[in-house]
Amino acid sequence: MPEKEVEKTIDALLQERRTFEPPKEFTEQANASDPAIYEEAERDPEGWWESQAERLDWFERWDTVLEQDPPWHKWFVGGKLNASYNCLDRHLESHGDRVAYHWVGEPGETRDVSYRELHEEVSRLANALKDLGVAKGDRVAIYMPMIPELPAAMLACARIGAPHSVVFGGFSAESLRDRINDAECKVLITADGGYRKGNVVPLKDNADEALESTESIEKVVVVQRTDEDVNMVEGRDVVYSEIVQAASADCPAEPMDAEDILYILYTSGTTGKPKGIVHTTGGYLTGVASTHHYIFDIKPESDVYWCAADIGWVTGHSYIVYGPLVNGCTSILYEGAPDHPDKDRWWSIIEDHRATILYTAPTAIRSCMKWGVDYPQKHDLSSLRVLGSVGEPINPEAWIWYQEFIGGGKTPVVDTWWQTETGQIVISALPGLTTLKPGSATKPFPGSFADVVDESGEPVGPGGGGYLVLKRPVPAMFRTIFNDADRYVETYFERFGNDVYFPGDGAKLDDDGYYWLLGRVDDVMNIAGHRISTYEVESALVDHPDVAEAAVVGRVDPKEGETIVAFCTVKSGVEGDDDLMQELRGHVAKVIGKLARPHSIIFTDDLPKTRSGKIMRRLLRDVATGQELGDVSTLQNAPILDAIKAKASSQAADDE
Ligand code: WT7
């Protein structure tokens, strides 16, 4: 982020100066109520994480807590366990009838799934997958709506030691195809469709399109969710309910090495090729179980916890599936949109289920703010006792609104910083201990070691701004990029040395040592809490026959979040008008998915370039954010900037 943008963001953040002590009644009952936990973990991080690994059931205990050969690290070496066993089997005896998921379908149907029922479904599906030829180590792609069969599919893979690769249901056929091919998945589990804003998302049609060029896929399992007519390919496609019914319910969980792969999850980097983030088993489960327990203050017997993310993102993997199930708690799983059939859908779900914890993203909170307080105020939200935020910096105004109108002015709000790569929350308040400052993710979780450093890697100290780094791995931290160890080292460990992890975020430390996250410092945008690279969107735009060149930047507004602005030059004879803008937005949706559609597209005769022909995105970012232009001395075609500026200001951004 350019210096002046950083300053602007910090100014906006610091306008809100109120702080919030943890309520005494909360601290008295909190899972973390003694500040000594921070000191203990700091003194002996390995001892601390070892104590957290005790939360799991191990078939064989580990020999070594942490083995390091930076940037390679292994946790709980020699230990054996199974993720599905930890999420299901071990709960059966004492609380098998507890609800694992209160599922709510978008059209209105509901279904409660107990731990016992989920265990049976997972065991049957695991056997069915074996019958389809899936063996330990084979990769399985999952492309599904938010229905109970989605966590069941993940756990069935985990049960037999087949790494899953979940692809978000909002991604296009092309995105699905690329991810399947990168991991060479053998089987795809999908559904006929899912519901979103009253429409059917045609998942099977997309899957069929993707499967035209995925050689590794042998079988496709299709859940009948919408009962729409879909094409079933003889010999390749099977119906989920049929194979599950036919399979035996007895499927012992495969003992996995602590360092065996649990899953791969793709995320955007600075090139067009998404990175397959690799998570393993023992450390990952330890990290998510521990953070989920302390940060959300989980009381499994009484809480009704709701993480309103999609399982297709890491938030859903760690805090809808693995963390909550390992901890044996009851969650809400909701299929659809927050404004369907009306803008109070979330609040009515909270009221109906007496939800006690809500975890969502600032972008959703800001939408709710725009819709107005009447919607939450129609409902009794008094059951809520902890609120969480994740995905992007939360502006203090949204934080205060969230606490006031959703939390009734009393609940702690925990802003949690982490990434697909870290697997678990790394910087966050503990709700019974931390004095909250709206807009700050506060402090590293016990056993996590962060800092803010300058260009040369020197700590900036209190009051300084720079790059966020992690000085030690947390157990859930990824181990590599699938099939691309070089990229793992280059992207994350070259900048500050191979024992310092560089997440790609800017941050500021205040005088109390609180962390204020300032957004990405690379060419990765954070759109509604999801990571998209400028390069991916540019590639999708130039893929359209009318576009000659494209440059994409993120426009950051502390109150609005980040939106995508594209600058395009068109081929001769083509007119860059409104129709083309709509067509290009549709094209990007087709190539990547709707979430990557530019908010606005500015057509221009040329793009600002250096003498060597490199597009200067930095200047375009200045134009998009309406800032004074930075240094233009290296520009080969300076006058074009005036023309672009004039166009940008005459063209109002549009969106639905
Ligand atoms: C990027 C990671 C972690 C699950 C969702 C996103 C940004 C995430 C925060 C926060 C400020 C945040 C960072 C990070 N981010 N949480 N609480 N405050 N920024 O996962 O897609 O891997 O994106 O999201 O920029 O690097 P992701």
Side-chain angles (χ1 to χ4, degrees):
M1 228 196 245
E3 195 64 21
K4 45 189 183 227
E5 254 176 71
V6 171
E7 289 307 323
K8 218 173 94 182
T9 313
I10 294 172
D11 280 353
L13 287 171
L14 295 183
Q15 274 162 21
E16 172 62 60
R17 289 178 192 283
R18 268 178 291 174
T19 60
F20 297 83
E21 301 270 336
K24 205 166 144 264
E25 317 78 70
F26 194 100
T27 308
E28 280 165 5
Q29 61 79 62
N31 290 350
S33 56
D34 182 355
I37 151 176
Y38 282 102
E39 286 123 50
E40 277 164 35
E42 177 147 8
R43 214 170 35 239
D44 179 13
E46 287 173 29
W48 157 258
W49 287 119
E50 179 157 47
S51 73
Q52 297 309 296
E54 309 277 4
R55 296 181 177 283
L56 307 175
D57 276 16
W58 296 79
F59 297 143
E60 267 173 53
R61 206 183 158 86
W62 55 91
D63 311 311
T64 316
V65 176
L66 172 62
E67 214 176 84
Q68 287 209 77
D69 174 17
W72 311 102
H73 52 103
K74 290 182 182 165
W75 286 85
F76 308 110
V77 181
K80 290 212 187 300
L81 76 171
N82 181 283
S84 142
Y85 184 93
N86 273 281
C87 289
L88 302 169
D89 305 50
R90 68 177 186 141
H91 299 310
L92 298 184
E93 204 174 311
S94 56
H95 46 270
D97 294 322
R98 184 180 295 158
V99 172
Y101 294 113
H102 291 296
W103 177 70
V104 182
E106 194 189 73
E109 66 275 62
T110 58
R111 200 166 116 199
D112 284 352
V113 185
S114 70
Y115 276 86
R116 197 177 312 287
E117 288 162 335
L118 190 58
H119 174 262
E120 179 177 335
E121 173 121 349
V122 166
S123 301
R124 287 179 185 276
L125 179 60
N127 278 326
L129 290 175
K130 282 198 229 166
D131 292 343
L132 292 177
V134 180
K136 187 170 173 173
D138 287 341
R139 274 84 57 207
V140 174
I142 299 178
Y143 183 59
M144 281 170 79
M146 289 278 285
I147 53 179
E149 289 82 354
L150 170 51
M154 296 161 74
L155 294 170
C157 292
R159 196 162 189 87
I160 59 175
H164 55 72
S165 166
V166 179
V167 179
F168 170 57
F171 272 127
S172 66
E174 293 184 31
S175 298
L176 174 62
R177 177 199 63 199
D178 293 346
R179 286 160 176 76
I180 288 175
N181 288 339
D182 188 74
E184 296 173 283
C185 297
K186 193 167 184 181
V187 164
L188 168 67
I189 309 176
T190 184
D192 47 9
Y195 291 99
R196 185 83 197 171
K197 293 201 191 212
N199 301 315
V200 169
V201 184
L203 294 171
K204 180 61 164 65
D205 292 351
N206 292 347
D208 282 339
E209 197 183 323
L211 295 175
E212 282 167 21
S213 34
T214 53
E215 278 175 22
S216 57
I217 293 285
E218 293 172 10
K219 296 283 178 191
V220 179
V221 181
V222 184
V223 179
Q224 290 168 322
R225 160 69 185 119
T226 61
D227 286 324
E228 298 273 305
D229 243 347
V230 294
N231 173 46
M232 293 291 281
V233 176
E234 183 84 44
R236 186 195 73 184
D237 301 357
V238 295
V239 174
Y240 176 100
S241 57
E242 290 173 8
I243 60 165
V244 166
Q245 268 159 33
S248 149
D250 179 26
C251 180
E254 182 74 27
M256 302 297 288
D257 198 277
E259 282 297 328
D260 277 337
I261 301 183
L262 176 60
Y263 68 79
I264 303 167
L265 181 61
Y266 286 84
T267 187
S268 293
T270 51
T271 73
K273 190 171 182 290
K275 302 177 280 198
I277 300 300
V278 172
H279 283 292
T280 57
T281 309
Y284 176 78
L285 293 178
T286 300
V288 298
S290 171
T291 47
H292 183 250
H293 171 83
Y294 287 115
I295 294 169
F296 300 109
D297 193 48
I298 297 294
K299 308 285 190 290
E301 308 77 28
S302 52
D303 273 320
V304 177
Y305 159 89
W306 186 13
C307 167
D310 193 289
I311 291 177
W313 308 106
V314 76
T315 309
H317 282 59
S318 298
Y319 297 108
I320 299 178
V321 181
Y322 290 108
L325 294 178
V326 166
N327 287 337
C329 90
T330 296
S331 295
I332 292 171
L333 183 66
Y334 170 55
E335 177 184 32
D339 54 349
H340 188 85
D342 206 351
K343 300 183 176 66
D344 62 346
R345 186 66 190 270
W346 276 14
W347 319 127
S348 84
I349 292 174
I350 289 176
E351 181 173 22
D352 287 352
H353 291 279
R354 305 296 296 153
T356 55
I357 300 159
L358 176 66
Y359 188 30
T360 185
T363 178
I365 299 164
R366 286 191 294 258
S367 293
C368 295
M369 282 173 77
K370 277 187 211 139
W371 296 335
V373 295
D374 289 354
Y375 292 101
Q377 281 177 348
K378 274 198 286 193
H379 297 275
D380 175 8
L381 306 180
S382 61
S383 52
L384 289 169
R385 61 181 201 92
V386 182
L387 299 176
S389 171
V390 60
E392 55 185 320
I394 180 166
N395 49 308
E397 196 186 347
W399 193 107
I400 296 282
W401 188 91
Y402 193 30
Q403 193 201 42
E404 184 69 29
F405 295 107
I406 308 305
K410 64 178 172 45
T411 52
V413 175
V414 290
D415 173 11
T416 62
W417 179 91
W418 59 297
Q419 306 181 295
T420 306
E421 290 87 339
T422 67
Q424 67 178 86
I425 296 168
V426 181
I427 303 178
S428 166
L430 292 178
L433 288 176
T434 315
T435 297
L436 304 171
K437 299 188 186 184
S440 165
T442 75
K443 303 226 172 176
F445 186 76
S448 315
F449 294 78
D451 206 348
V452 179
V453 300
D454 65 16
E455 208 59 63
S456 63
E458 286 304 311
V460 296
Y467 303 103
L468 179 70
V469 294
L470 303 185
K471 296 179 296 184
R472 286 177 63 95
V474 289
M477 185 97 170
F478 70 140
R479 301 301 191 259
T480 189
I481 294 174
F482 192 76
N483 272 345
D484 205 345
D486 290 346
R487 192 172 177 196
Y488 168 78
V489 178
E490 278 157 26
T491 311
Y492 304 102
F493 294 98
E494 253 169 20
R495 189 139 183 178
F496 300 113
N498 62 10
D499 54 354
V500 178
Y501 171 72
F502 173 53
D505 279 38
K508 185 183 157 82
L509 272 181
D510 72 12
D511 292 334
D512 300 324
Y514 275 48
Y515 286 75
W516 298 77
L517 279 307
L518 301 173
R520 306 284 312 183
V521 294
D522 51 14
D523 285 329
V524 174
M525 299 172 289
N526 186 327
I527 307 302
H530 304 309
R531 234 197 283 177
I532 297 166
S533 82
T534 54
Y535 186 89
E536 276 175 293
V537 182
E538 286 167 5
S539 308
L541 286 167
V542 296
D543 176 68
H544 188 280
D546 290 348
V547 176
E549 263 191 317
V552 165
V553 299
R555 175 173 46 207
V556 183
D557 177 308
K559 291 204 178 135
E560 294 289 331
E562 189 162 5
T563 48
I564 303 178
V565 181
F567 297 84
C568 291
T569 63
V570 291
K571 296 202 179 138
S572 67
V574 174
E575 205 190 328
D577 54 13
D578 257 12
D579 289 346
L580 183 60
M581 159 138 53
Q582 291 316 332
E583 186 171 327
L584 291 179
R585 294 180 77 232
H587 187 71
V588 174
K590 187 177 171 329
V591 176
I592 307 174
K594 266 192 187 165
L595 71 167
R597 271 183 318 190
H599 181 265
S600 47
I601 300 179
I602 295 155
F603 294 106
T604 156
D605 296 335
D606 201 356
L607 293 168
K609 289 184 193 140
T610 61
R611 286 182 189 88
S612 60
K614 199 168 167 262
I615 297 172
M616 293 193 70
R617 283 209 196 79
R618 173 173 64 77
L619 294 174
L620 291 172
R621 205 178 296 130
D622 290 347
V623 173
T625 46
Q627 307 226 10
E628 233 177 83
L629 294 184
D631 181 12
V632 297
S633 59
T634 54
L635 216 56
Q636 163 233 125
N637 54 348
I640 190 64
L641 271 175
D642 293 327
I644 295 176
K645 259 167 72 179
K647 279 226 173 168
S649 56
S650 73
Q651 198 173 313
D654 81 309
D655 213 354
E656 75 267 46

